[in-house]
Amino acid sequence: MDRLAPFASPDGLDPQLQTFLEEASAQLCRWFGSANQRSPLPSLRLLPHAFPETEGLGAQHLLDDLQQVMDGAYQPSHPGALAHLDPPPNTASIAAELICAGLNNNLLAEELSPSLSQLERQLCGWFASRLDLPEGAGGVAASGGTLSNLTALVTARHSLGLDAVSNAVVLTSDDAHVSLAKACRVMGLHADGLRRIPVDGHGCLRVDVLQQELNNLATEQRPCLAIVATAGTTVRGAIDPLRAIAKMAKTHGTWLHVDGAIGAVFALSEKTRSLVDGSGEADSITVNPQKLLGIAKTSSLLLVRDVSKLEAAFGTGLPYMEPAAFGAHGGEMGLQGSRPAEILKLWLGLRQLGMEGIHSLLFNALARRERLQRCLDDQALDVRSGPLHLLSCAPKNADCDSSERWSAQLRQRLLDEQIMVSRPQYQGLHHIKMVLGNPHTSNALIDHLGMCINQSIARSEH
Ligand SMILES: *Cc1c(COP(=O)(O)O)cnc(C)c1O
């Protein structure tokens, strides 16, 4: 199979191509199958050359090189991979990613992706209705939540007629995601254009301070272009009080964006949807199926209460394309031009799971977090967790230096046992953070992890 044509033959089935794809798939399956034998975080190793040789390589050489890169890759399918919001990839979404590359359609315009553009429109509409947005809501897929959040804020600004008002302000909580700071910089807002509202003891935005801040802005004659509420904060999974914030946004005539990159998927199950109650009051919502649902990266949607606002903010007329048969071209609804058909893996992945499979993913993640929380010694630890599947903790009465030492030692000790956790800085202290979204993590592993964390405190006290 060594000679490989650079493009698939249009005239008949190419056996070289088929063998190559089969071999590459087999290699991937072996990588999954051996996940448990190695650490989630492999040590750095030699890589193949990064650049093309004078002569192109044959199929076997390509596969060998691929293997080397795979051996050095982070392994999300390891049961001890608990550090971040990066779960194992859903199986159907892997196949869909391959097909997506093969189809090479472009979600820029309908004529370059007729079936897929329609699928994107329908699936965004479905997500919008699950999140209680009204008729007329819709959305667009973007390559990641960072881009969805930026798209939301640009849409908000345009919709409020504030495009030329550079002293406009975005209000969000201290615990909101870093992508909002990026968005405000890209949008050219003033350095104080992102104002942070403190959180309460549960990590939720304090609405009393939000009200004061809105009053302050009115006094300063600075317009608020959006309030961003977070449904699932990055360190502890807190959910801001969406209904109360929505009410203030309405009274104040501003836009409510809900950053639901972590939490919005909980609206998909009847049994967990009350966690994000009030999401339907939002003007826009970011959803990241690439996180807990495990759709292969990237998979993010921006949903908008009135979908026509996206085209109003981003439409250019796209003069070199035939008009779209339904609604707007995908490329007229956001920042990206050419876009891969990321919707394909989301669609196929959700179809594979079914509503029951989606529910178990969400429910089991919550159960794992509850189990870990029960294991932890809350006399010795400050445990920071919300209603979702994330948990962070630090020793009680720690200071900056001691929490840094403790978390570094504990992370290494756990890595030696092939358990990977992260150590975010939160409220001035290093924490150990676990995201319990990995379906391979057993109860025994959770109990052992809890014991290791408890022991690390007992030890550092000596
Ligand atoms: C992950 C995350 C984002 C950013 O999403 P990316 O896909 O990493 O760009 C935004 N907000 C929150 C709350 C997140 O957890």
Side-chain angles (χ1 to χ4, degrees), residues 190-220:
H190 290 183
D192 67 349
L194 181 65
R195 292 208 188 171
R196 300 282 195 168
I197 311 288
V199 295
D200 64 17
H202 302 286
C204 302
L205 181 145
R206 278 182 52 187
V207 286
D208 56 324
V209 185
L210 176 63
Q211 185 58 60
Q212 283 166 19
E213 198 59 57
L214 285 166
N215 297 344
N216 294 345
L217 289 179
T219 316
E220 295 168 45

Side-chain angles (χ1 to χ4, degrees), residues 85 144-147 149 177 179 230 232 234 259 261-262 288 290-291:
L85 295 138
T146 299
L147 199 47
N149 282 344
H177 192 258
S179 55
T230 308
T234 310
D259 180 0
I262 296 175
N288 259 22
Q290 72 190 25
K291 289 183 171 170

Side-chain angles (χ1 to χ4, degrees), residues 32 143 145 161 175 234 242 258 268 338 376 392 420-421 458:
F32 284 125
S143 294
D175 286 8
T234 310
L242 303 182
V258 172
L268 298 185
S338 291
L376 294 177
S392 294
M420 182 176 168
V421 302

Side-chain angles (χ1 to χ4, degrees), residues 24 33 58 75 80 113 145 165 197 218 256 320 335 346 372 386 401 419 428 447:
Q75 178 49 280
S113 54
V165 183
I197 311 288
L256 172 60
Y320 25 77
L335 284 161
L346 177 56
L372 177 61
D401 289 343
I419 299 175
D447 295 347

Side-chain angles (χ1 to χ4, degrees), residues 68-209:
Q68 272 192 58
V69 179
M70 291 164 73
D71 289 343
Y74 165 67
Q75 178 49 280
S77 293
H78 191 289
L82 300 172
H84 298 288
L85 295 138
D86 292 74
N90 163 282
T91 296
S93 79
I94 300 170
E97 183 79 320
L98 176 67
I99 302 298
C100 171
L103 297 180
N104 208 20
N105 274 213
N106 191 342
L107 273 277
L108 168 68
E110 231 174 64
E111 65 187 277
L112 293 171
S113 54
S115 53
L116 292 157
S117 284
Q118 206 173 324
L119 202 56
E120 178 172 295
R121 206 171 298 116
Q122 286 181 4
L123 197 49
C124 286
W126 181 78
F127 266 90
S129 77
R130 298 303 299 189
L131 279 150
D132 286 335
L133 291 171
E135 194 73 17
V140 66
S143 294
T146 299
L147 199 47
S148 291
N149 282 344
L150 172 61
T151 309
L153 293 183
V154 171
T155 307
R157 176 165 72 180
H158 186 78
S159 154
L160 296 177
L162 296 171
D163 282 347
V165 183
S166 67
N167 74 349
V169 169
V170 174
L171 297 175
T172 195
S173 91
D174 275 336
D175 286 8
H177 192 258
V178 294
S179 55
L180 298 164
K182 274 193 202 170
C184 291
R185 263 187 253 170
V186 171
M187 291 166 74
L189 299 186
H190 290 183
D192 67 349
L194 181 65
R195 292 208 188 171
R196 300 282 195 168
I197 311 288
V199 295
D200 64 17
H202 302 286
C204 302
L205 181 145
R206 278 182 52 187
V207 286
D208 56 324
V209 185

Side-chain angles (χ1 to χ4, degrees), residues 41 73 145 157 253 283 331 346 381:
L41 184 63
R157 176 165 72 180
D283 294 293
L346 177 56
L381 289 158

